[in-house]
Amino acid sequence: MHMGSSRSGAPGSGHWQGQGRAGDLLLRALEDLSQLDFKRFRDALAHAELRGCSPIPWGRLQNADWIDTKNLMLEFYGAEAALDVAMTVLEHIQLRNTAAVLRESRERGGNAEQLPAPFQGLCVQEPCRARRLLWMRVPVAGQLGPAPLLGSSPPDHRSGYKRAVRQAYGRMKDLNGRLGDSASLSARYARLVMVTEHRDERQREREIAAVGRGHADLMKERAGSSIAVADLFKPDEEGWSPKEVVLLGAAGMGKTMTARKIMLDWACDRMFEEFDFVFYIHCREGNLLAGEASMADLLARCCPGSPLPLDAVLQQPEKLLFVIDGFDELRFSVEQPWSELCAEPGERRPVAVVLASLFRRRLLCHSSLLITTRPAALQSLRRLLEHERCAEILGFSEADRRDYFQRFFGSAEQAAAAFRFVRGHELLFTMCLVPVVCWIVCTVLRQQLGRAGGLAHGPRTTTGIYVLYLSALLRSLRGRQRRDVPAVLRRLCCLAAGGVRGQRVLFEEQEVQGLALGRQEALPLLLNEHLFQKDISCVSSYGFIHLSFQEFFAALFYLLEDEGEEQEPLVGPSRDVKELLESYGSSRNYFVLTVRFLFGLLNEDRRRELEQETGCKISARITQDLLEWLQDSQKTALALLLEETGLVRDLELCHCLYELQDERLVAAALCPFTGLRLHGLNLNRFDQVVLAFSLRRFPGLQVLELGHCCFLWDEPEDTAEPQPCKKLRRCVGSWAAEPPEPRGFGEICMGRAVTSSHSREAQEEEGMLSPIRMLCQALEASGCKLKTLRLDRCELSTACGTALGSVLGTSPALIELGLAGNKDLGDEGVRMLCEGLRRGAGPLRELRLGGCSITAAGCRALAPVLAAAPGLALLDLSDNAVGDGGVRELCAALRGPGRGLRRLELWQCGLTELSCETLAAVLPDTPSLAELHLGGNAVGDGGVRRLSPGLRDPRCRLRSLRLWQCGLTELGCETLAAVLPDSPSLAELHLGGNAVGDGGVRRLSPGLRDPRCRLRSLSLWQCGLLGACCEDVCSVLRAGCALETLDLSENSLDNGSVRALCRALGQHPGSLQRLWLPSSGLDEETLQEAAALEQVKLM
């Protein structure tokens, strides 16, 4: 990750407070750009000579999407500077209005944080200089006293340490293991699928993207490659080897188990042989360390076995690996000021400062770090690291799940029975992607296998699984222990809720004893005791078997009814659930699962089961509070600003409703909303199940936008890895554990007849292949009254066209359909989509299919849909090789009376002058057409000549014509000059990127001077203009033309010509409001004269 000057070595964290708002403004501006404008923006950001701006390497921008680009700019320049750079680049590529909107948005919202005072004078061109200057002050050698170097220490220290590590990490206990129960970690551990963002072979360097800042900034990256644990520190194709690795995974995904397995495998010489010593530090234990300690003290407490000569060991930090487990569990902040950090391993400081010094690389800066964390804490972690590799644990593949079942049960017969049961219930099987859930399911199923009826029934939600697991534990109790369950449970829930509110997962012995929990014999079933070294003693601390269980019991705390059996009221957090929900907004990552469990426990069946098993009364009194909070949670500041409070913007809402599993309450919760908008998410199979559940029960669903979302799915074969949606494979079985679908979805995914050359069976097969099959099932089951559907850049495949065509054929209300950027859709996918659209025949007004690999064949399939949609106002087929043949097909369908087409986007479509002749015939017959975009097509002067009859026709009402980079010369300008007087509606003409030269301006000027010309905006950037053209421009100004904006930037104008132009503008300003001029090559006197004019904008 490149470090900008606004970040490197910053002594405080205040400058990061503006990052989120600046990022939102940047992302919004980038999303508003067309595909081509976005390409030009990235190109200018990498190659243009922008004053005061350091370019970002093209290798990192070439394949970057909006979010990637935004993140790169923030990291290179910082918040405030990134906004300045964005406006400079936008103006550089002639997007003045977009730059002005961004500037106004920033001014309304206040300035982003400035650079910290020590670095305000540093130049942007040296983004790493601040860190280098600070490093110059850090001692790097001779700081640990007279201890000998590692090479001179006895060689058996390392072998002895490895023996101790094998002893300490070789065995494991199940989360509910009894005294004496343990298993071999190597025998129980099943392989996990880990993915890291693939690197394009053409890129020299690419930042490894993290999973975004919370849910709004989740990075959309295709899971295109898997990586083994042993390869985490190995060099990539470019030879770059990371020193910092972030192992990312949700709660229960196996991060801690993997970290411990790393320790064991290193001690067994199976991996990481390049490290002499590997140290394991668990952050939850660090939370209990009070007072001051040095790094050497911290390691002495963590290392098993005999004491190590740490002074000597720490002398060679390049040979050290620190495994930092559970960064998200740190209770204190490690974002310490740079000046407070320590540089020496022997320096005693608060633990927060010691860890911050390690993360920020001031302490043992040449060591390697492997850090595990939940996604919610990644934002704060990324502020600390410099060049990290990020690997995400996706969980178990199908083969790995089968392997885990075999390892867990031991008995092949029981394992096969349990696996068949779970495999037959796809939702349950999907949840077994998560290792801790897989363990819970196996634990529960082992109990059920021993009962009458066996595996006839099973849970469906996470709450249901936890309820069953808790029931299985409690059923092992007898006599007094069983009678004590209500009292134990209330105290336990109080402890859990206090821990969640205080962001603690370990509890000191005094806290447990204070709740009278220490005397309960049932306690070891629900809490685990840990021995922790503190000073020269060992103390006991307690934690739930997993953080998710603590959150489960914390949720239960708010639903348990008081029955008056307590001798004294419990001292704990408030029982007012509104206080918890208010805290959710500011500390969301700590309360997500707790809130999900709250919804799950409102389910009547779950409450009844718990009451029967625990003997406690469980109330649903908070139902209305939860539903109101859920609805209010979508009224974000952005939603209020955009006046779009009717849209669901958070997948977490769907997760909560899925846990609820109450048809009436789900419909009531969704009733105020009219749509759902998500952006940039990797939707795994469980996410898709959850999303589909809400869509089926969405009473007023009219808008569905899933831009930049990727639908991930597993291979059906055991040997396959998780793949992004673009890989076509057969999907076996039903994904969602829903009731049988209505006819048309019961036996196959897409069962409606489609009139095409494909057989019904072939189309059904394609529907089964579609990774959005579950989404389409849900839409059809809901009745599909969608008005807007946008799936831009979702990596949709050909089969998705079949799936969408089937469901959209039942959606007569569809107004807007956006599928831009799905390059694998292709002609066949468009053809199958059109079959459905023809059946639906809705009032389609906007159709965006840019960048979908469409050719003339696709246009032929599209033509009947266009002909049947007279109200179509926008058609975008840009960045497709449709060619002249495709334009002929389109124009035949678009021309005729009663058409409402207003905007036609055909840039970069491989067109020649023949297409211009075809379009010329359409212009008079389509008076509604106001914008025609033909940029990036080699139509040449002949194309303009063939287009001109249509433009001059009195019936033509075209307002904007874009012909940039079309191979025009001065002859084309002469043709346009004749068109301008006869086209009074034409207000915008874009000719940038054409080599028209001064002669072209001279030939164009008569048309501009004509009183009948009403052109308001003329763009001539990068047109090979020299000083001679300024005389013609002056004549146009003196004639009092209607021009309001004239762009002459990126041309080689001389000083004298520019001064003459400025004088003419001062004397005859006319209507001109903005004149864009190049600043390069002009002397100071000319620049000052130009800057004195309000209308002149220098580039």
Side-chain angles (χ1 to χ4, degrees):
M1 181 187 306
H2 186 93
M3 302 294 293
S5 61
S6 63
R7 173 181 172 187
S8 299
S13 60
H15 67 293
W16 283 97
Q17 296 174 357
Q19 285 276 20
R21 189 198 58 80
D24 290 340
L25 292 178
L26 276 176
L27 184 59
R28 199 178 310 155
L30 295 177
E31 287 177 336
D32 287 338
L33 301 181
S34 68
Q35 277 188 302
L36 187 61
D37 286 339
F38 181 54
K39 290 179 182 178
R40 293 173 57 225
F41 181 93
R42 287 177 292 145
D43 182 75
L45 197 58
H47 301 123
E49 295 183 1
L50 307 174
R51 290 191 301 171
C53 302
S54 174
I56 298 176
W58 176 242
R60 303 177 73 174
L61 284 167
Q62 188 172 13
N63 292 329
D65 60 14
W66 296 323
I67 297 176
D68 294 332
T69 303
K70 179 260 298 183
N71 287 337
L72 283 170
M73 293 181 69
L74 288 176
E75 289 156 6
F76 265 71
Y77 308 122
E80 183 73 11
L83 292 174
D84 290 334
V85 171
M87 289 183 288
T88 300
V89 173
L90 289 170
E91 292 171 350
H92 179 76
I93 61 175
Q94 291 77 48
L95 296 178
R96 323 294 182 196
N97 291 337
T98 304
V101 170
L102 179 57
R103 182 178 292 104
E104 292 172 4
S105 298
R106 182 177 68 170
E107 291 172 353
R108 286 197 303 268
N111 290 328
E113 287 288 311
Q114 300 292 331
L115 291 175
F119 308 118
Q120 288 179 354
L122 293 180
C123 180
V124 176
Q125 279 91 344
E126 292 189 58
C128 294
R129 183 180 170 195
R131 183 174 292 277
R132 290 200 301 268
L133 290 175
L134 284 175
W135 279 359
M136 290 171 63
R137 300 199 299 267
V138 178
V140 295
Q143 304 293 322
L144 293 174
L149 295 177
L150 185 63
S152 61
S153 61
D156 61 334
H157 282 302
R158 183 167 58 178
S159 59
Y161 177 65
K162 284 190 173 184
R163 283 195 301 271
V165 169
R166 291 195 295 269
Q167 181 70 22
Y169 294 90
R171 306 290 294 178
M172 59 166 287
K173 278 197 173 187
D174 278 330
L175 297 180
N176 63 334
R178 306 296 183 92
L179 185 64
D181 290 342
S182 68
S184 165
L185 176 59
S186 295
R188 178 64 67 85
Y189 184 84
R191 186 179 67 92
L192 291 165
V193 175
M194 301 178 193
V195 296
T196 183
E197 295 76 16
H198 76 276
R199 296 168 179 267
D200 190 276
E201 57 189 16
R202 295 170 296 176
Q203 291 182 287
R204 297 182 59 191
E205 181 182 7
R206 181 179 181 184
E207 176 187 10
I208 298 176
V211 176
R213 299 176 179 178
H215 77 281
D217 281 341
L218 288 173
M219 301 301 293
K220 176 205 161 276
E221 279 288 347
R222 187 178 63 176
S225 61
S226 61
I227 185 170
V229 174
D231 295 334
L232 288 174
F233 288 94
K234 288 186 177 179
D236 59 12
E237 298 88 347
E238 303 291 337
W240 172 71
S241 300
K243 301 291 286 185
E244 302 155 350
V245 171
V246 176
L247 198 56
L248 178 67
M253 196 58 80
K255 301 183 296 296
T256 294
M257 189 70 74
T258 300
R260 294 179 65 86
K261 186 65 161 53
I262 287 172
M263 294 295 297
L264 178 61
D265 285 348
W266 169 79
C268 294
D269 298 324
R270 296 176 189 145
M271 65 171 60
F272 297 157
E273 295 180 4
E274 64 269 28
F275 300 113
D276 286 345
F277 289 90
V278 180
F279 300 109
Y280 177 87
I281 301 175
H282 202 300
C283 292
R284 71 168 61 170
E285 296 177 354
N287 288 332
L288 289 180
L289 288 174
E292 295 186 344
S294 66
M295 174 55 73
D297 295 335
L298 187 60
L299 293 181
R301 299 176 185 183
C302 298
C303 293
S306 302
L308 287 172
L310 288 174
D311 283 353
V313 169
L314 297 178
Q315 284 281 7
Q316 290 187 309
E318 68 277 2
K319 291 291 188 177
L320 305 181
L321 169 62
F322 293 91
V323 178
I324 312 294
D325 191 15
F327 175 83
D328 54 285
E329 298 182 41
L330 283 176
R331 199 167 65 190
F332 47 75
S333 173
V334 292
E335 296 185 24
Q336 305 288 333
W338 181 265
S339 60
E340 296 296 323
L341 301 182
C342 60
E344 300 304 321
E347 189 175 349
R348 295 179 62 82
R349 303 294 291 277
V351 175
V353 174
V354 174
L355 289 180
S357 304
L358 184 63
F359 291 139
R360 298 278 296 276
R361 316 308 280 151
R362 186 165 189 183
L363 176 64
L364 301 174
C365 62
H366 297 295
S367 64
S368 296
L369 303 181
L370 190 150
I371 306 169
T372 74
T373 184
R374 284 189 187 183
L378 198 58
Q379 178 181 357
S380 56
L381 179 59
R382 291 179 71 247
R383 298 172 185 169
L384 304 174
L385 303 182
E386 182 176 0
H387 296 285
E388 76 274 10
R389 169 176 288 166
C390 184
E392 181 178 3
I393 301 178
L394 297 184
F396 291 137
S397 67
E398 180 170 345
D400 297 328
R401 277 170 269 177
R402 189 191 300 273
D403 179 49
Y404 183 88
F405 272 64
Q406 186 63 49
R407 291 168 180 265
F408 183 91
F409 286 95
S411 164
E413 184 178 353
Q414 280 195 333
F419 189 81
R420 281 195 302 269
F421 170 78
V422 176
R423 191 64 184 88
H425 292 72
E426 268 305 312
L427 178 56
L428 195 60
F429 185 72
T430 300
M431 292 169 64
C432 284
L433 283 168
V434 183
V436 72
V437 176
C438 196
W439 173 79
I440 294 169
V441 169
C442 287
T443 301
V444 171
L445 294 184
R446 184 159 58 184
Q447 295 284 334
Q448 289 186 316
L449 280 170
R451 297 193 318 217
L455 303 177
H457 302 285
R460 297 201 317 166
T461 66
T462 306
T463 307
I465 290 175
Y466 281 55
V467 168
L468 275 182
Y469 173 67
L470 176 60
S471 300
L473 289 181
L474 296 180
R475 286 173 186 172
S476 65
L477 301 178
R478 295 293 184 269
R480 170 72 180 275
Q481 293 178 351
R482 184 70 180 181
R483 292 192 298 271
D484 286 343
V485 164
V488 171
L489 191 60
R490 283 185 171 81
R491 288 170 168 79
L492 193 70
C493 290
C494 182
L495 182 71
V500 168
R501 295 299 300 271
Q503 301 173 11
R504 294 181 296 127
V505 294
L506 276 183
F507 305 92
E508 296 181 1
E509 195 166 15
Q510 294 86 343
E511 294 180 84
V512 175
Q513 292 175 349
L515 287 169
L517 283 169
R519 297 189 300 271
Q520 303 295 336
E521 297 180 26
L523 185 62
L525 288 174
L526 304 173
L527 278 182
N528 285 344
E529 182 178 2
H530 306 276
L531 286 179
F532 182 74
Q533 292 181 334
K534 186 175 183 181
D535 297 328
I536 60 174
S537 303
C538 287
V539 297
S540 292
S541 60
Y542 296 84
F544 289 84
I545 55 178
H546 187 266
L547 176 58
S548 57
F549 283 97
Q550 179 179 336
E551 293 166 311
F552 173 81
F553 288 117
L556 190 56
F557 171 76
Y558 294 95
L559 283 85
L560 288 175
E561 289 280 11
D562 290 325
E563 298 182 357
E565 77 283 358
E566 297 289 349
Q567 297 288 336
E568 298 177 1
L570 296 176
V571 178
S574 168
R575 295 281 297 276
D576 187 356
V577 74
K578 292 182 180 179
E579 293 185 14
L580 173 71
L581 298 176
E582 288 173 2
S583 302
Y584 183 94
S586 57
S587 301
R588 167 181 173 145
N589 54 305
Y590 296 103
F591 304 125
V592 168
L593 276 181
T594 303
V595 173
R596 282 193 198 177
F597 283 130
L598 281 173
F599 280 88
L601 291 171
L602 289 180
N603 180 276
E604 185 176 354
D605 291 336
R606 301 290 85 76
R607 296 202 314 272
R608 187 185 307 115
E609 292 171 15
L610 273 176
E611 288 177 346
Q612 292 174 353
E613 295 296 338
T614 65
C616 298
K617 180 67 175 176
I618 300 173
S619 170
R621 65 182 184 279
I622 64 172
T623 300
Q624 193 58 37
D625 290 336
L626 284 178
L627 293 183
E628 290 176 0
W629 168 81
L630 197 69
Q631 293 168 352
D632 290 342
S633 69
Q634 302 307 297
K635 297 177 183 178
T636 63
L638 178 61
L640 293 172
L641 178 65
L642 300 177
E643 297 183 353
E644 294 180 347
T645 56
L647 294 180
V648 174
R649 296 172 174 272
D650 192 350
L651 184 64
E652 186 56 33
L653 179 144
C654 300
H655 276 283
C656 291
L657 295 181
Y658 181 80
E659 290 298 317
L660 183 57
Q661 290 287 318
D662 185 307
E663 300 281 341
R664 180 183 61 84
L665 292 179
V666 170
L670 293 173
C671 188
F673 301 106
T674 58
L676 182 144
R677 176 183 293 164
L678 303 176
H679 183 86
L681 301 183
N682 279 336
L683 299 172
N684 60 37
R685 292 177 65 181
F686 185 51
D687 292 331
Q688 295 170 46
V689 168
V690 166
L691 179 61
F693 177 85
S694 289
L695 293 180
R696 287 173 182 269
R697 296 155 181 84
F698 211 131
L701 184 64
Q702 297 180 11
V703 177
L704 179 59
E705 298 184 11
L706 301 176
H708 284 245
C709 289
C710 187
F711 295 83
L712 304 176
W713 58 327
D714 270 349
E715 298 279 336
E717 301 300 328
D718 292 348
T719 58
E721 305 295 341
Q723 297 290 336
C725 61
K726 64 182 290 183
K727 305 280 181 147
L728 293 183
R729 302 289 193 279
R730 174 63 184 243
C731 299
V732 179
S734 171
W735 281 358
E738 296 284 347
E741 304 292 343
R743 182 60 184 163
F745 271 101
E747 298 176 1
I748 57 173
C749 174
M750 299 292 165
R752 296 184 176 273
V754 180
T755 304
S756 72
S757 60
H758 272 32
S759 67
R760 179 185 179 91
E761 292 76 12
Q763 292 201 24
E764 292 171 355
E765 176 70 13
E766 288 186 359
M768 295 291 285
L769 287 171
S770 169
I772 59 170
R773 178 171 68 96
M774 197 186 310
L775 175 70
C776 293
Q777 283 180 328
L779 289 175
E780 183 159 334
S782 70
C784 197
K785 297 180 178 61
L786 280 179
K787 292 184 178 180
T788 298
L789 175 62
R790 299 198 66 170
L791 298 173
D792 301 323
R793 294 180 178 271
C794 288
E795 300 190 21
L796 302 185
S797 61
T798 298
C800 295
T802 302
L804 285 172
S806 179
V807 69
L808 295 181
T810 66
S811 182
L814 189 66
I815 293 177
E816 180 182 353
L817 177 61
L819 302 176
N822 292 294
K823 59 184 178 63
D824 291 327
L825 192 62
D827 289 335
E828 185 61 20
V830 169
R831 186 175 69 81
M832 302 312 302
L833 172 68
C834 290
E835 293 290 346
L837 291 175
R838 289 174 63 184
R839 293 196 310 276
L844 197 63
R845 289 182 52 80
E846 296 185 10
L847 180 59
R848 293 180 172 87
L849 294 172
C852 289
S853 302
I854 301 173
T855 69
C859 294
R860 190 175 306 114
L862 190 58
V865 174
L866 302 179
L872 186 70
L874 184 152
L875 177 61
D876 181 4
L877 292 176
S878 303
D879 202 18
N880 288 298
V882 301
D884 298 329
V887 170
R888 282 196 300 272
E889 299 285 352
L890 296 173
C891 290
L894 291 173
R895 65 187 305 177
R899 310 297 305 189
L901 187 66
R902 293 187 53 80
R903 181 176 173 183
L904 181 58
E905 299 262 355
L906 293 172
W907 54 264
Q908 205 164 303
C909 283
L911 310 184
T912 70
E913 61 181 88
L914 297 179
S915 291
C916 292
E917 185 173 6
T918 305
L919 289 167
V922 173
L923 293 176
D925 295 339
T926 314
S928 62
L929 187 61
E931 297 182 46
L932 179 59
H933 197 335
L934 298 177
N937 293 294
V939 298
D941 297 329
V944 174
R945 184 176 64 253
R946 296 189 186 221
L947 188 64
S948 61
L951 295 171
R952 303 176 71 171
D953 193 291
R955 295 171 294 170
C956 175
R957 294 292 183 267
L958 198 68
R959 298 193 74 257
S960 177
L961 177 61
R962 294 174 180 260
L963 294 171
W964 46 261
Q965 294 180 358
C966 284
L968 306 186
T969 69
E970 59 182 86
L971 296 179
C973 291
E974 185 174 11
T975 304
L976 289 170
V979 168
L980 292 177
D982 295 335
S983 301
S985 63
L986 191 62
E988 293 184 24
L989 180 60
H990 297 264
L991 300 177
N994 291 293
V996 300
D998 292 334
V1001 177
R1002 183 174 63 255
R1003 298 193 185 213
L1004 187 64
S1005 59
L1008 295 172
R1009 292 195 298 266
D1010 194 294
R1012 295 171 297 168
C1013 174
R1014 291 293 179 266
L1015 198 68
R1016 295 178 179 274
S1017 177
L1018 175 62
S1019 178
L1020 294 170
W1021 55 267
Q1022 209 175 84
C1023 283
L1025 306 184
L1026 302 175
C1029 71
C1030 292
E1031 182 178 347
D1032 296 295
V1033 174
C1034 291
S1035 70
V1036 171
L1037 294 177
R1038 287 193 292 268
C1041 66
L1043 273 180
E1044 296 177 356
T1045 300
L1046 177 60
D1047 188 351
L1048 301 178
S1049 61
E1050 297 189 63
N1051 290 291
S1052 301
L1053 305 183
D1054 59 69
N1055 290 294
S1057 300
V1058 171
R1059 286 196 294 269
L1061 184 58
C1062 290
R1063 286 193 292 271
L1065 179 60
Q1067 297 169 2
H1068 305 282
S1071 303
L1072 197 65
Q1073 299 176 9
R1074 291 184 182 86
L1075 174 61
W1076 299 95
L1077 295 174
S1079 60
S1080 60
L1082 301 181
D1083 58 29
E1084 190 64 29
E1085 180 183 354
T1086 304
L1087 290 174
Q1088 290 180 357
E1089 185 173 348
L1093 294 174
E1094 181 181 356
Q1095 301 96 323
V1096 173
K1097 310 294 180 185
L1098 295 172
M1099 290 288 294

